[in-house]
Amino acid sequence: MRVTFPIFMVAVLALSACSNGVPTLMNLRNTEAGPDEFAIVPTRELELPADRASLPTPTPGGANRADPTPEADAIAALGGNINRAAGGSSGLISYTSRLGVAADIRATLAAEDEAFRSRNGGRLLERLFNNNVYFRAYRPQSLDRYAELQRLRRAGVQTPSAPPPE
């Protein structure tokens, strides 16, 4: 017992020294100098048509036949009509922006978020030891998914099945 406790403490200290203290899983942007592997989208293979006269006229700055179309590919994989779905998003965008769209909405939200986090910066020891209080600051705004599921079911809304709470 006397020998295992110091070994355990040394192991804990060694593992804690490996951490750099920065939670990178919450960073949604790539801030590293290297390439972003998620920005690479494979293109389709080039096809040589049977007749060169059947080629479409070039459109400078337009879409290429080898360009990826993930939305259309997903619609086709799910059995939908690509031509019918292509025009659907323009109506949705025009309806949601009917009351006006702020051009600087991202900067406004970033400033409001920064102000909220600075007001809810944590207690003295959390700031002193640079402890992450991100999730605690936003906890009042989070949604209890199981309570919401029960509320919708009581209201008669058909809801898909949900995994049991763990």
Side-chain angles (χ1 to χ4, degrees), residues 48-84:
L48 185 62
D51 181 20
R52 292 183 189 238
S54 65
L55 288 173
T57 58
T59 54
N64 188 343
R65 290 176 53 178
D67 287 345
T69 55
E71 185 177 352
D73 295 342
I75 291 170
L78 294 172
N81 186 350
I82 299 169
N83 297 326
R84 208 172 134 204

Side-chain angles (χ1 to χ4, degrees), residues 138-149 151-152:
Y138 287 100
R139 191 173 299 135
Q141 298 176 10
S142 65
L143 178 69
D144 182 8
R145 59 183 178 235
Y146 294 107
E148 184 67 15
L149 180 67
R151 185 188 70 80
L152 290 171

Side-chain angles (χ1 to χ4, degrees), residues 36-151:
D36 185 8
E37 63 272 11
F38 294 108
I40 299 170
V41 180
T43 59
R44 295 187 186 131
E45 292 184 17
L46 295 176
E47 301 171 356
L48 185 62
D51 181 20
R52 292 183 189 238
S54 65
L55 288 173
T57 58
T59 54
N64 188 343
R65 290 176 53 178
D67 287 345
T69 55
E71 185 177 352
D73 295 342
I75 291 170
L78 294 172
N81 186 350
I82 299 169
N83 297 326
R84 208 172 134 204
S89 60
S90 62
L92 176 65
I93 291 172
S94 64
Y95 180 76
T96 55
S97 60
R98 70 190 183 281
L99 301 176
V101 177
D104 62 339
I105 188 65
R106 291 183 188 269
T108 303
L109 288 176
E112 290 175 358
D113 182 55
E114 181 65 33
F116 177 80
R117 285 189 285 133
S118 67
R119 285 192 313 268
N120 296 293
R123 299 180 189 106
L124 175 65
L125 291 177
E126 291 172 340
R127 289 191 304 263
L128 184 64
F129 292 108
N130 195 19
N131 191 5
N132 183 9
V133 294
Y134 181 86
F135 293 111
R136 188 178 58 79
Y138 287 100
R139 191 173 299 135
Q141 298 176 10
S142 65
L143 178 69
D144 182 8
R145 59 183 178 235
Y146 294 107
E148 184 67 15
L149 180 67
Q150 291 304 320
R151 185 188 70 80

